[in-house]
Amino acid sequence: MKRILLCILGFFIIILQNSIINYLSVFGMTLNMVLIYLVIISLYLGELESGIIGAILGIILDSSVGGIFGANALIFFVIAYMVSYIKDKVYKESPIMIFTIILGTTFIYCGAGFLLARILYRVCTFTSIIKIILVPIINGLIGILIYKIFKKPILRLEEE
């Protein structure tokens, strides 16, 4: 039941991101709330269940925004699995650790998106290179804020 509720919440975060957050861009850069959500829940779930949730959310995101179908699903699966794999090796309640993990995973996400765009569409702009640097920092800072606001419900994930 917990997994279904997490998928439904992720679905609503995708709707929020596609309908509101994507229009709040600064210099063409927007937050990736789905990735932040996925990283935070992956810190408290098993590898396979977080990977499956990541793949499901990635498929939903791919279906809603277009582009290369399956790219988000694959990237989200790998990121969720990796974060869940290292969860016992890090201090999850540290804001600096949350920032670092979200920074790293967002860098992986942006880097993979950049490489796919470069290979498939032969696109390489200065703005896309700047995004690889700035978006992870912004995502990390917002991720800390979200983690602090929703800390109690997040900690209950591990108990159940």
Side-chain angles (χ1 to χ4, degrees), residues 14 17-18 32 34-35 38 51-80 108-110 112-113 116:
I14 290 171
Q17 176 153 340
N18 289 339
N32 191 336
V34 180
L35 184 62
L38 188 61
I52 290 171
I53 291 172
I56 290 169
L57 294 180
I59 288 170
I60 294 169
L61 189 63
D62 283 335
S63 301
S64 65
V65 296
I68 305 165
F69 189 78
N72 282 317
L74 180 62
I75 295 168
F76 282 174
F77 175 82
V78 169
I79 286 174
I108 291 168
Y109 180 80
C110 291
L116 283 173

Side-chain angles (χ1 to χ4, degrees):
M1 185 65 172
K2 172 177 68 171
R3 292 174 207 97
I4 294 170
L5 291 174
L6 290 172
C7 284
I8 291 170
L9 181 59
F11 177 72
F12 285 117
I13 291 172
I14 290 171
I15 291 171
L16 177 72
Q17 176 153 340
N18 289 339
S19 61
I20 297 172
I21 295 173
N22 283 345
Y23 296 105
L24 301 174
S25 66
V26 178
F27 303 117
M29 294 178 272
T30 59
L31 296 173
N32 191 336
M33 295 299 292
V34 180
L35 184 62
I36 294 171
Y37 169 74
L38 188 61
V39 168
I40 290 175
I41 66 166
S42 294
L43 286 169
Y44 296 95
L45 298 174
E47 290 98 352
L48 190 58
E49 75 184 334
S50 64
I52 290 171
I53 291 172
I56 290 169
L57 294 180
I59 288 170
I60 294 169
L61 189 63
D62 283 335
S63 301
S64 65
V65 296
I68 305 165
F69 189 78
N72 282 317
L74 180 62
I75 295 168
F76 282 174
F77 175 82
V78 169
I79 286 174
Y81 192 90
M82 284 182 353
V83 170
S84 192
Y85 181 77
I86 66 163
K87 72 178 182 198
D88 294 329
K89 298 165 184 65
V90 297
Y91 181 60
K92 298 179 273 201
E93 295 182 28
S94 166
I96 294 173
M97 188 55 64
I98 298 293
F99 173 81
T100 305
I101 293 171
I102 292 174
L103 179 88
T105 55
T106 307
F107 182 75
I108 291 168
Y109 180 80
C110 291
F114 175 78
L115 286 175
L116 283 173
R118 178 77 178 123
I119 293 168
L120 297 175
Y121 304 122
R122 301 189 192 280
V123 174
C124 181
T125 63
F126 181 71
T127 330
S128 57
I129 295 170
I130 295 295
K131 284 182 185 180
I132 293 175
I133 298 167
L134 291 180
V135 170
I137 294 170
I138 295 168
N139 258 13
L141 294 173
I142 298 299
I144 291 172
L145 181 66
I146 290 171
Y147 183 79
K148 286 188 176 201
I149 292 171
F150 296 105
K151 189 173 186 173
K152 286 186 181 182
I154 291 169
L155 292 177
R156 273 190 264 149
L157 279 175
E158 195 168 46
E159 295 170 6
E160 296 176 3

